[in-house]
Amino acid sequence: MLKLWFAPNTCARVTMTALEDIGLEYETGLIAFMAGEHRKPEFLAVNPSGKVPALETPQGVLVQNGAILSWLAETYPDAGLLPATDDPFEKAQQQAEIFRCSSDLHPLVTRFVMPQMISSDPEDAPRIRAKAEEMLRFQLAPLADRLDAADWLLGDSWSVLDAYVAWIWFRITGSGFDDRAFPSLLRHHQSAMNRASAKAALARESAAEAALEKRGLLFRPPFAKGAER
Ligand SMILES: N[C@@H](CCC(=O)N[C@@H](CS)C(=O)NCC(=O)O)C(=O)O
């Protein structure tokens, strides 16, 4: 059985949504960041980078959303995570879409939501966030244009890229990015989160949040709406 290591509200939500779309049973392992569990030997033995998601498979552990999603899409083609193709160029184009999320956008999300991971001087935070916001606007604009013309990022059908961009939107707008900046992304996020697989992933996250809260370990990003700055 597959086992997903995750923490609520993180990019592991993208892999979790994909697993829900596939519809097979899977186990989860919850990492309490507030307790430093991502730096403990037990988890470093799973992913030496100390990051979620990490997916235990019968063949071994896979890390990096992009790799996990590509593997899941090929292993469970009926789930429609990515459009089916045998064409190497089309596959490379799909990879480019995924890498845009993981390599271009996610680092900007980190800078915007958690500037303290970039500089430990709190005085730097506003500058880091402002630059990240500017770059996010630039990088999101072409995606918003695509969503002005189509329901989903790859056209008429949902793909796992939609779950990825929905997570990015959730994370930045939850941290003060103006959710009116790109109406098509706002609409897209609502549609993506209305899908059954997203709701199932959110339900698992809520249960995990409740478990963490009970232990006094629920993490809230410092710039979250309503959080103390
Ligand atoms: N490139 C990685 C990024 C994974 C990542 O940064 N995950 C975050 C949560 S969203 C994490 O585990 N951060 C903990 C850390 O970096 O120490 C991927 O796409 O899987």
Side-chain angles (χ1 to χ4, degrees):
M1 192 187 285
L2 300 176
K3 176 170 181 175
L4 174 66
W5 292 91
F6 81 110
N9 303 316
T10 67
C11 63
R13 177 183 295 178
V14 188
T15 291
M16 189 177 269
T17 305
L19 290 171
E20 293 293 340
D21 263 286
I22 292 165
L24 46 66
E25 265 187 62
Y26 62 96
E27 287 176 34
T28 53
L30 173 60
I31 295 296
F33 283 111
M34 295 284 279
E37 287 176 4
H38 57 315
R39 295 289 179 266
K40 297 214 166 125
E42 296 84 338
F43 184 59
L44 293 177
V46 178
N47 182 4
S49 302
K51 290 175 187 284
V52 293
L55 187 69
E56 289 186 29
T57 83
Q59 288 170 272
V61 177
L62 265 183
V63 297
Q64 297 288 342
N65 259 308
I68 297 171
L69 297 174
S70 300
W71 179 76
L72 288 175
E74 294 228 14
T75 308
Y76 304 97
D78 293 346
L81 299 179
L82 289 170
T85 178
D86 287 329
D87 182 276
F89 187 77
E90 282 177 16
K91 273 193 190 193
Q93 284 182 313
Q94 293 177 353
Q95 296 281 308
E97 298 279 2
I98 293 176
F99 291 161
R100 176 185 292 118
C101 291
S102 63
S103 306
D104 292 352
L105 288 164
H106 189 162
L108 295 175
V109 173
T110 305
R111 281 157 180 73
F112 187 70
V113 177
M114 294 195 287
Q116 72 277 15
M117 285 188 75
I118 308 301
S119 166
S120 40
D121 181 349
E123 293 205 350
D124 290 338
R127 282 188 292 274
I128 295 169
R129 273 171 61 80
K131 189 67 190 169
E133 181 174 4
E134 177 194 324
M135 293 171 76
L136 277 165
R137 280 177 181 263
F138 179 73
Q139 296 291 340
L140 289 174
L143 298 183
D145 288 348
R146 278 159 63 175
L147 290 170
D148 278 331
D151 283 348
W152 302 109
L153 283 159
L154 296 185
D156 291 338
S157 303
W158 177 92
S159 74
V160 79
L161 276 171
D162 294 294
Y164 218 147
V165 170
W167 173 75
I168 287 164
W169 186 252
F170 151 77
R171 213 65 168 103
I172 61 176
T173 56
S175 187
F177 190 94
D178 183 1
D179 68 3
R180 294 158 306 177
F182 294 108
S184 60
L185 277 163
L186 179 59
R187 185 266 306 156
H188 171 261
H189 178 260
Q190 284 160 352
S191 307
M193 299 319 289
N194 254 330
R195 296 183 71 257
S197 59
K199 287 184 182 166
L202 281 194
R204 285 202 191 234
E205 284 194 8
S206 295
E209 283 192 324
L212 290 173
E213 187 137 48
K214 233 176 170 175
R215 295 166 61 196
L217 294 175
L218 187 56
F219 174 71
R220 295 191 198 283
F223 295 95
K225 279 178 191 159
E228 277 181 25
R229 294 193 172 214

